[in-house]
Amino acid sequence: MDQKAFQDYYPDELSHCYGCGRHNEHGLQLKSYWVGEETVAIFHPKPYHMAIPGYVYGGLIASLVDCHGTGTASAAAYRKEGREMGTAPPLRFMTASLQVDFLRPTPMGVPLEVRGRIEEVKGRKVVVSATVSAGGEVCARGKVVAVQMPEHLMPKAELA
Amino acid sequence: MDQKAFQDYYPDELSHCYGCGRHNEHGLQLKSYWVGEETVAIFHPKPYHMAIPGYVYGGLIASLVDCHGTGTASAAAYRKEGREMGTAPPLRFMTASLQVDFLRPTPMGVPLEVRGRIEEVKGRKVVVSATVSAGGEVCARGKVVAVQMPEHLMPKAELA
């Protein structure tokens, strides 16, 4: 994609997350983008991300919904304030609650599309609904209630 | 613990799960046990399982709730049938829905205790509620609706 991913706008000290941090070499390094009013991330599961042979592990799907949700929340909050992503002070979100309904087993061997829709932006809270699809078929639906990270949890820049 | 973990009773061909399969060398290899009427798993996050420095990544917590939930569901179903775990035919569960509420940031550097309680066993469905605690403090609460894996998804033994 031509755009820069939401997660690549996070400051260095907020880019260690296992799910989406570009500085976490062991992690999933999820990348999320705007597509019109919705947001999209494409993820290629590794063969070991399996539940049973042929199918993707549910915890991975929950992790994709989670990090795509907080990334979408950040992008939505910047958009609402009319600010460019990445401008200070950073608007970084954490998950207050996560819900995932597994509609059908998610097949291995195809890229997964995580699609987010912003349901609500209110004060420090953003609600994002999401689908996870494989080969054009929705395999899971999720919802993330994300809240802006409080100041006292924000790591100092020199930790990065 | 003296007991054998629930997951170590799973047949070989159902032991590849990233979250709890003993044959997944890349995975979390979660181990769950009975403690009276409840079930417990202890997990030691790796340093890279972080969200931000000092705190555990939410997707890991969701994954622990998920696999502890399906493991507890299996144990509960065997118990209800009055059968020893591991006896054929296997009672293996998959997740229909997963809910996690993150009550406070989960600190790194201490073992996490995942505790499950069986809320309902009805037909092929088991509902499990769970808490995830660090240093004796509950950091997350979850619920798993688990359903018994249908026959057509069960891998054949020779795949193991």
Side-chain angles (χ1 to χ4, degrees):
Chain A
M1 306 214 188
D2 290 343
Q3 299 174 55
K4 188 167 154 182
F6 303 159
Q7 292 85 1
D8 289 337
Y9 287 108
Y10 293 167
D12 285 332
E13 67 275 16
L14 292 172
S15 296
H16 298 288
C17 175
Y18 183 86
C20 61
R22 66 184 175 278
H23 296 316
N24 193 323
E25 62 179 340
H26 300 281
L28 307 176
Q29 303 208 358
L30 190 72
K31 306 284 186 197
S32 305
Y33 304 87
W34 285 113
V35 176
E37 294 301 305
E38 295 192 339
T39 61
V40 171
I42 304 294
F43 187 80
H44 298 257
K46 303 279 189 206
Y48 53 76
H49 286 139
M50 81 166 80
I52 58 173
Y55 297 101
V56 177
Y57 153 64
L60 177 76
I61 291 166
S63 299
L64 298 178
V65 170
D66 185 0
C67 281
H68 187 64
T70 52
T72 295
S74 177
Y78 274 107
R79 183 177 268 194
K80 185 163 188 185
E81 292 195 3
R83 290 168 50 192
E84 289 291 316
M85 275 202 90
T87 57
L91 298 174
R92 182 76 157 88
F93 283 71
M94 49 199 281
T95 305
S97 85
L98 171 67
Q99 164 77 39
V100 183
D101 293 320
F102 298 92
L103 308 180
R104 53 177 58 79
T106 303
M108 288 296 257
V110 292
L112 302 183
E113 184 192 77
V114 192
R115 190 166 272 265
R117 180 189 296 262
I118 298 145
E119 301 292 344
E120 185 185 344
V121 184
K122 189 173 181 184
R124 298 175 68 92
K125 184 176 88 169
V126 180
V127 180
V128 178
S129 63
T131 54
V132 179
S133 302
E137 193 165 46
V138 176
C139 298
R141 290 188 187 278
K143 193 173 91 164
V144 171
V145 178
V147 292
Q148 200 183 321
M149 201 176 285
E151 194 61 33
H152 74 272
L153 284 180
M154 291 282 233
K156 298 293 173 287
E158 58 269 26
L159 283 180
Chain B
M1 306 212 188
D2 289 343
Q3 297 174 55
K4 190 166 152 180
F6 302 159
Q7 293 85 0
D8 289 337
Y9 287 106
Y10 293 167
D12 284 332
E13 66 275 15
L14 292 171
S15 296
H16 297 286
C17 175
Y18 183 86
C20 61
R22 66 184 176 277
H23 295 316
N24 193 321
E25 62 179 341
H26 300 281
L28 307 176
Q29 303 207 356
L30 190 72
K31 306 285 186 195
S32 305
Y33 303 89
W34 285 114
V35 176
E37 293 301 305
E38 295 192 339
T39 61
V40 171
I42 304 295
F43 187 80
H44 298 257
K46 304 277 188 206
Y48 53 76
H49 286 137
M50 79 166 82
I52 57 172
Y55 297 100
V56 177
Y57 154 65
L60 177 75
I61 292 166
S63 300
L64 298 178
V65 170
D66 186 0
C67 281
H68 187 64
T70 52
T72 296
S74 177
Y78 275 106
R79 184 177 268 196
K80 186 164 189 186
E81 293 195 3
R83 289 168 50 193
E84 288 292 315
M85 275 200 89
T87 57
L91 298 174
R92 180 78 157 88
F93 283 70
M94 50 197 282
T95 305
S97 86
L98 171 68
Q99 163 76 38
V100 183
D101 293 321
F102 298 93
L103 308 179
R104 54 178 58 81
T106 302
M108 289 292 254
V110 292
L112 302 182
E113 184 192 77
V114 192
R115 189 167 274 264
R117 180 189 296 260
I118 297 146
E119 301 291 345
E120 185 184 343
V121 184
K122 190 174 180 183
R124 296 175 70 89
K125 185 176 87 169
V126 179
V127 180
V128 178
S129 63
T131 55
V132 179
S133 302
E137 194 165 43
V138 176
C139 298
R141 288 187 188 280
K143 193 173 93 166
V144 171
V145 177
V147 292
Q148 200 183 322
M149 199 175 286
E151 195 62 34
H152 74 274
L153 285 178
M154 292 283 233
K156 299 291 175 291
E158 56 272 26
L159 285 178

